[in-house]
Amino acid sequence: MKTRKILKLSFFNKLSFLSFLLWFPVFLCQASAEEQEVDFTAFSLEELKNVEIISASKKPEKITDVPAAVFVITQEDIRRSGVTGIAEALRLAPGVQVARIGPADWAITIRGLNEEFSNNLLVLVDGRSVYSPVFSGVHWDIQDTVLEDIERIEVIRGPGAAVWGANAVNGVINIFTKNAKDTQGAQVVGLYGTEEESGSVRYGGTLGKETSYRTYLKFFNRDRFSGKGKSSWYENPDDNWESFRGGFRMDRDSEAGDSLMFEGAIFGQQYDTENAKFILASPYYMTEKDVSESAGGHILGRWQHEFSENSDTVLQCYYDHVEKNYGITDSCIDTFDIDFRHRFRFSVHDSVHEMIWGLGYRFISDEFYLKDGTEDSFQIAIDPTNLDQHLYSAFVQDRIELVPESLSLIVGSKFEHNDATGFEVQPNVRLLWTPGERHALWGAVSRAVRVPSRTERHLKVITGILAPSYPYMKELLGDELGDTLIPDAPAVIKVLGNEGLSSEKLTAYEAGYRLNLTSCFRVDSTAFYYRYDQVMITAFGDAYLETAPRSHYVIPLNYENGMRGEAYGAEISGSWQLMADWRLTGAYSYLKTRLEWEAVADDIDTAAEEKSNPSSQFSLRSLMGLSKQLDFDVWLRYVSGLSENVDGYTAIDARLAWRPAETLEFSLVGQNLGDRQHQEFSAFEVERGVYFKIAWRF
Amino acid sequence: MSDFISDFMTAAGHCYQKLNFNFLFSALLWCMLWSSWFGVSEVYAQSAGDDDSIEYKLKAGFIYNFAKFTEWMPETFKDSSLMNLCVSADKIAAETPDPVFSNISSVLNEKSVGDKKIVVKKCENKDEIKSCHILFIVSEHTEFIQEKLDNTKGLSILTVGEAENFSRMGGMINFFKENKGINILNPKALLRFEVNVNAAERAKLKFRSSLLMSAKIFREEVK
């Protein structure tokens, strides 16, 4: 019925409305372009040297020239969206599914199955991988920095494995902080609101003519989740999430074509949590209040050398240490990584080649032990408790300009050797066609793999318990065990890691079209079809009896490469500069996933897997400058429901900022204004919030 | 999602019908559509290469500073209050979508350096070049550059170029780009320039220290 009403708009009306939408930006663009005219004769030589231009000679691809689904979240986007963390900032990119699971947990994925550790997404912060190969995922709670010092976040949807390596199956998120040169002087940021409070101090200076540095300190406290959920049984935990972090970055850019970067940080944080405890006697299951702590640090160095306009190299090295509580266990992970990359251009006959090749080595050492004060537990074990892993990788990629300025082909592959699955090859082929300045069409076929994580291979953990009185115990245990049922033995459900797992494989077909109608009206659209094979999943195995510490049955959930599946969807995003200081951006993404068992023919219910991602997401932002001092920004998001338990929601954020001076900004932000609270993934409910923020540079 | 959109659209549709706005609205749209047809071609031409056109405007800003910090022989401007800036672009450069000449002249034409007014001209042959004070050679083509540089021999002309071997060929100030970061997606670059002091001395030109301080110094190898 609803659709019929829309059709009431006559053909004439629709046509004129469409034409209006298409032509209107052309009209308005002209005015804004003229207003932005700068008089460069008023600049000094040193000022001129700081003006950024698009380097055309070297072709370090413009976004429009990249044959992949790329979206860049700029510093301005972050500032004007009012987000207070990196995980939340990712909602700004189209096609990224961000769902808050708990006070300190997010499920973030791109075009994939979403779980807390959405295991197919690679995340890099200034070149350092924060993807944990131990848990196969990213601990979003410990990823943070001074948001004002982030330069941009590049989000690549789709396999980025040819360059970035394994586990970049569904996408790559690249977070870049600013060059120390661009963060000179002091900056103080304070935030106080209904959901959180935070503060940061940063100071930047120079050491000699070519070296600059910055140091920073940041803390936050997110402790006010106490609202009662819609479902009467669930109450948001009051979590007292506190975090401290401090770090530095040094940059040295010499005229000789060398640049050096040195960066490091340490952090510590904690939040209240509840651990599940299973006992083999009544009441079988209980929860214990606990504090989850984590701490760590890293240090990274990078040396870039430019031989000429056509050849440059990067050498990067880092060490990272993370200690983190994981339920009743404590983990300690050390990572050492060294990477080399060389890029050069050459011509063969008439075609220009841009070749990039690289080598990498990573050493990961982990150790698990039970938390201090925890009794020896039968419910969790990892075998072996400590493990050293070595990862060797190489990649090569060639970009060939088949027709100058119009058609280019990219062929590349990553070759990797890891201790879990051995040798992995991940190739891709991409084609880009730019028929004019305003259009770009691209297509890609790529293969990527996800290597099983340490937990998927070695962890044994109890996730559920059935009391002996459970009525279907006999059926559940099967004929053999069921006939000789021990009366007071409970049954536990135990997830068992599998050392024989192979990696999950993805073949991806993607296509995209970009349109730059004018400099102020841009549209970017992509469509994709993914084929997954050997998807890792847990499946029930045959139950058995165990006698220690006392008799109980074990119903095993074994990890196996048991499923295959497919995913398809489309994303469209656009940006429209209506006036010099009014911009609208919008995005819509659609995703459909389907999984099926590879071996079993009968239909086992896999609905949970299918619906762990919203099928539709819509976002519309308006960024408006009311005057030179005043910004008013509104952001509307709609995310469709996941299942019967998690409904779709509409969230509205609004921000009002006042800048009495260039260096001083006051802002008032309202988040999730649409409703008092809503679920995003789990029973946890995100609440409406308001905060006030001061940012001052001097 | 479709439910959400259709709810929204229905609500919007109701509003218009209630207010009987439909006719007025579409009439207005048609007017705008047709009127916009006339303006479109012009707008397209202006916005072409919007992101790239900044490069030559920026270079013009540099050239303005070069003019400010270069000393010509006093007799050069004996009977003229004009400073001639000649732009010599080869065929390829002239045909690029980025209009080099119009960008430079939009920034510099009629601007004054001291008491001299800048005049931006297109120069192609030797005679035209003779009257220049500054010659900007927009080309990466070695033969083209050499021909123009040869034309300036024995004259007090500040030569500015943007080719890799411009300084080695005897050009005085050469633009080059420095990439900002090496990320695959990073499109940003900064403009830099190198100065061949020996070449300037031969043409009896002197650079002030404020120019040299911002420059990379190119030294000719002594044969």
Side-chain angles (χ1 to χ4, degrees):
Chain A
M1 284 311 283
K2 280 171 185 167
T3 45
R4 221 168 266 165
K5 273 183 189 164
I6 301 173
L7 288 174
K8 267 189 186 169
L9 284 170
S10 68
F11 179 71
F12 173 80
N13 274 355
K14 277 198 289 183
L15 191 72
S16 55
F17 188 66
L18 269 176
S19 335
F20 173 72
L21 282 179
L22 281 176
W23 292 122
F24 204 53
V26 181
F27 245 170
L28 288 168
C29 269
Q30 194 182 12
S32 61
E34 276 168 8
E35 272 173 46
Q36 286 161 359
E37 197 66 50
V38 191
D39 181 11
F40 285 121
T41 61
F43 283 51
S44 75
L45 282 172
E46 283 306 310
E47 284 167 339
L48 288 167
K49 282 170 78 174
N50 283 324
V51 179
E52 287 172 350
I53 54 165
I54 310 279
S55 170
S57 72
K58 208 170 172 189
K59 303 219 169 26
E61 299 126 288
K62 296 180 213 170
I63 284 299
T64 48
D65 287 351
V66 179
V70 179
F71 186 85
V72 177
I73 301 168
T74 62
Q75 168 57 228
E76 204 207 350
D77 285 332
I78 295 172
R79 183 172 60 89
R80 298 189 65 168
S81 65
V83 295
T84 57
I86 290 174
E88 292 290 323
L90 296 172
R91 294 185 198 265
L92 290 162
V96 180
Q97 281 91 35
V98 179
R100 197 161 180 182
I101 301 182
D105 295 313
W106 280 264
I108 300 180
T109 191
I110 298 173
R111 301 172 175 175
L113 308 169
N114 208 348
E115 291 165 36
E116 174 174 359
F117 297 104
S118 56
N119 36 38
N120 295 338
L121 197 61
L122 189 67
V123 180
L124 302 160
V125 181
D126 280 327
R128 175 177 55 98
S129 169
V130 296
Y131 177 91
S132 162
V134 175
F135 299 107
S136 73
V138 176
H139 293 291
W140 287 103
D141 56 330
I142 58 173
Q143 310 312 328
D144 190 31
T145 187
V146 177
L147 286 190
E148 286 73 17
D149 291 345
I150 292 178
E151 187 187 283
R152 65 184 192 284
I153 303 174
E154 287 174 4
V155 179
I156 299 158
R157 311 189 294 278
V163 176
W164 281 280
N167 308 319
V169 172
N170 284 345
V172 183
I173 291 173
N174 240 326
I175 299 164
F176 297 92
T177 64
K178 288 178 182 168
N179 189 306
K181 207 165 56 185
D182 302 326
T183 52
Q184 294 293 294
Q187 172 184 275
V188 181
V189 179
L191 183 153
Y192 188 85
T194 55
E195 306 294 301
E196 61 187 302
E197 59 215 35
S198 76
S200 69
V201 186
R202 177 256 282 162
Y203 181 77
T206 55
L207 299 166
K209 205 182 159 195
E210 293 173 335
T211 311
S212 35
Y213 70 92
R214 72 161 172 268
T215 57
Y216 64 88
L217 280 173
K218 178 178 180 177
F219 90 94
F220 69 73
N221 183 7
R222 296 175 183 150
D223 61 348
R224 282 184 269 273
F225 283 101
S226 52
K228 220 170 162 62
K230 260 181 274 182
S231 32
S232 53
W233 57 273
Y234 183 78
E235 206 169 310
N236 277 339
D238 188 9
D239 64 304
N240 295 312
W241 183 13
E242 283 177 349
S243 156
F244 285 89
R245 108 181 19 237
F248 73 95
R249 174 169 168 158
M250 266 166 82
D251 284 274
R252 184 185 163 88
D253 300 300
S254 78
E255 295 277 336
D258 284 298
S259 63
L260 282 167
M261 195 267 261
F262 203 49
E263 176 248 0
I266 49 167
F267 74 90
Q269 70 157 17
Q270 64 171 53
Y271 52 85
D272 293 349
T273 184
E274 276 180 351
N275 292 331
K277 192 167 182 185
F278 300 99
I279 320 154
L280 295 175
S282 184
Y284 302 104
Y285 173 79
M286 56 198 273
T287 56
E288 275 182 348
K289 284 211 184 299
D290 195 9
V291 177
S292 176
E293 293 173 336
S294 41
H298 72 269
I299 193 148
L300 177 143
R302 180 158 63 221
W303 173 40
Q304 291 173 214
H305 181 74
E306 202 165 289
F307 294 98
S308 72
E309 274 204 9
N310 291 323
S311 171
D312 43 47
T313 56
V314 189
L315 181 68
Q316 177 186 281
C317 191
Y318 67 79
Y319 166 73
D320 185 288
H321 174 85
V322 179
E323 286 171 39
K324 192 165 166 49
N325 290 155
Y326 193 63
I328 55 167
T329 58
D330 204 347
S331 70
C332 175
I333 301 159
D334 289 282
T335 310
F336 171 79
D337 182 285
I338 182 160
D339 263 298
F340 173 77
R341 186 172 290 202
H342 180 206
R343 169 161 77 162
F344 59 101
R345 271 159 54 105
F346 62 97
S347 304
V348 178
H349 304 298
D350 282 340
S351 57
V352 181
H353 292 248
E354 186 182 68
M355 192 83 114
I356 309 175
W357 65 275
L359 293 171
Y361 167 72
R362 187 175 296 172
F363 173 69
I364 304 149
S365 172
D366 65 53
E367 196 178 347
F368 289 83
Y369 33 91
L370 288 172
K371 244 165 123 170
D372 290 343
T374 313
E375 303 158 37
D376 193 24
S377 169
F378 79 105
Q379 76 181 60
I380 190 161
I382 191 158
D383 182 33
T385 51
N386 56 322
L387 185 70
D388 293 345
Q389 298 183 71
H390 305 266
L391 177 75
Y392 306 89
S393 65
F395 83 92
V396 61
Q397 175 173 304
D398 188 11
R399 183 177 179 135
I400 311 154
E401 221 168 64
L402 299 173
V403 181
E405 310 279 312
S406 166
L407 192 66
S408 22
L409 173 73
I410 291 183
V411 188
S413 182
K414 182 110 182 179
F415 307 93
E416 231 171 45
H417 185 275
N418 66 72
D419 291 349
T421 61
F423 194 63
E424 301 281 3
V425 183
Q426 304 176 78
N428 76 19
V429 182
R430 289 166 189 273
L431 195 67
L432 173 75
W433 182 42
T434 41
E437 287 235 328
R438 272 174 258 285
H439 308 272
L441 256 165
W442 61 269
V445 181
S446 32
R447 181 180 185 273
V449 303
R450 182 175 77 81
V451 178
S453 69
R454 175 91 151 92
T455 49
E456 283 158 333
R457 292 170 65 215
H458 296 139
L459 185 71
K460 294 178 173 66
V461 63
I462 290 171
T463 57
I465 193 159
L466 300 170
S469 56
Y470 184 70
Y472 305 107
M473 187 74 95
K474 203 170 171 176
E475 287 80 354
L476 207 66
L477 295 178
D479 294 340
E480 208 177 310
L481 285 174
D483 289 346
T484 55
L485 209 60
I486 300 168
D488 61 344
V492 298
I493 295 165
K494 195 170 192 175
V495 174
L496 296 173
N498 176 359
E499 217 167 359
L501 281 176
S502 13
S503 43
E504 220 169 86
K505 287 159 185 87
L506 166 71
T507 312
Y509 305 87
E510 295 171 90
Y513 170 65
R514 288 192 191 94
L515 168 71
N516 282 9
L517 191 59
T518 69
S519 63
C520 354
F521 187 74
R522 300 196 162 122
V523 179
D524 187 350
S525 54
T526 37
F528 63 92
Y529 175 77
Y530 283 6
R531 182 87 233 160
Y532 290 96
D533 279 302
Q534 298 185 306
V535 175
M536 287 174 240
I537 198 89
T538 49
F540 283 112
D542 291 332
Y544 56 88
L545 181 74
E546 220 165 60
T547 47
R550 50 179 293 187
S551 293
H552 64 279
Y553 293 103
V554 176
I555 302 166
L557 260 176
N558 297 312
Y559 268 109
E560 51 186 65
N561 294 100
M563 296 193 101
R564 62 168 171 254
E566 58 177 12
Y568 56 88
E571 295 125 7
I572 181 161
S573 65
S575 158
W576 179 14
Q577 189 86 40
L578 278 134
M579 283 180 228
D581 38 20
W582 186 17
R583 183 157 62 100
L584 283 180
T585 64
Y588 172 74
S589 54
Y590 177 79
L591 172 72
K592 181 93 192 136
T593 54
R594 191 179 300 135
L595 276 174
E596 59 188 21
W597 294 94
E598 263 178 358
V600 192
D602 55 277
D603 44 10
I604 293 166
D605 184 25
T606 55
E609 267 81 33
E610 281 177 28
K611 283 190 174 170
S612 63
N613 257 316
S615 60
S616 289
Q617 290 197 108
F618 173 76
S619 152
L620 184 67
R621 290 173 67 211
S622 155
L623 295 92
M624 196 193 291
L626 298 175
S627 74
K628 274 226 156 79
Q629 279 96 37
L630 224 52
D631 290 343
F632 180 61
D633 309 314
V634 183
W635 183 13
L636 180 134
R637 297 188 300 277
Y638 167 78
V639 180
S640 66
L642 298 180
S643 58
E644 302 85 61
N645 298 326
V646 181
D647 296 334
Y649 66 89
T650 307
I652 300 166
D653 291 3
R655 174 179 177 271
L656 185 68
W658 176 50
R659 266 184 313 280
E662 264 301 297
T663 52
L664 181 63
E665 184 179 82
F666 300 95
S667 52
L668 184 68
V669 176
Q671 294 174 311
N672 302 304
L673 298 174
D675 43 14
R676 205 170 73 80
Q677 53 204 4
H678 65 260
Q679 294 180 326
E680 297 194 345
F681 193 90
S682 56
F684 173 77
E685 298 194 358
V686 177
E687 293 168 356
R688 181 187 292 159
V690 178
Y691 73 78
F692 177 72
K693 183 178 154 185
I694 304 174
W696 184 29
R697 281 177 287 124
F698 53 96
Chain B
M1 184 61 210
S2 57
D3 274 0
F4 173 73
I5 287 185
S6 56
D7 281 348
F8 179 77
M9 295 282 275
T10 327
H14 268 311
C15 277
Y16 286 126
Q17 280 178 356
K18 227 179 192 171
L19 297 167
N20 204 5
F21 239 123
N22 234 344
F23 175 73
L24 203 66
F25 184 60
S26 41
L28 188 74
L29 287 182
W30 270 110
C31 284
M32 293 194 82
L33 167 67
W34 283 109
S35 62
S36 65
W37 271 104
F38 299 101
V40 161
S41 53
E42 203 183 323
V43 176
Y44 263 14
Q46 281 192 1
S47 63
D50 223 293
D51 287 336
D52 301 323
S53 68
I54 192 178
E55 180 176 338
Y56 284 96
K57 287 184 179 158
L58 188 62
K59 282 178 175 166
F62 272 98
I63 291 171
Y64 180 79
N65 277 278
F66 299 158
K68 232 163 60 179
F69 298 125
T70 304
E71 286 172 26
W72 277 263
M73 303 279 285
E75 58 263 32
T76 314
F77 292 102
K78 209 165 50 189
D79 30 48
S80 164
S81 63
L82 299 178
M83 181 179 281
N84 294 327
L85 165 62
C86 299
V87 178
S88 213
D90 67 22
K91 259 193 191 150
I92 304 161
E95 278 171 15
T96 52
D98 176 21
V100 177
F101 182 79
S102 61
N103 273 322
I104 293 174
S105 60
S106 76
V107 177
L108 288 182
N109 224 356
E110 306 278 292
K111 281 265 155 56
S112 296
V113 179
D115 52 354
K116 291 172 276 290
K117 201 176 252 178
I118 297 176
V119 179
V120 186
K121 294 188 202 175
K122 270 187 196 168
C123 293
E124 260 133 45
N125 55 45
K126 199 173 174 175
D127 289 334
E128 284 174 327
I129 287 174
K130 256 185 200 167
S131 66
C132 298
H133 300 109
I134 304 172
L135 173 66
F136 183 24
I137 305 171
V138 187
S139 173
E140 289 184 27
H141 202 253
T142 315
E143 281 163 39
F144 181 87
I145 297 168
Q146 196 61 60
E147 186 201 322
K148 300 295 157 197
L149 286 177
D150 288 346
N151 288 341
T152 65
K153 271 215 176 112
L155 299 165
S156 275
I157 298 175
L158 174 66
T159 53
V160 182
E162 50 170 32
E164 207 174 334
N165 45 4
F166 187 75
S167 301
R168 201 169 305 122
M169 291 165 68
M172 293 170 205
I173 302 184
N174 186 34
F175 288 114
F176 64 95
K177 284 170 192 167
E178 188 182 280
N179 255 49
K180 219 187 154 192
I182 202 163
N183 190 274
I184 291 181
L185 298 172
N186 193 340
K188 301 283 173 60
L190 301 170
L191 266 187
R192 298 283 179 262
F193 62 96
E194 57 180 359
V195 167
N196 182 341
V197 185
N198 309 81
E201 275 169 7
R202 282 197 295 274
K204 302 195 174 62
L205 296 177
K206 246 176 96 178
F207 294 132
R208 295 222 192 111
S209 59
S210 20
L211 192 150
L212 295 174
M213 268 163 57
S214 298
K216 182 182 164 189
I217 306 297
F218 175 85
R219 288 184 205 289
E220 291 186 352
E221 284 164 36
V222 189
K223 279 163 203 163

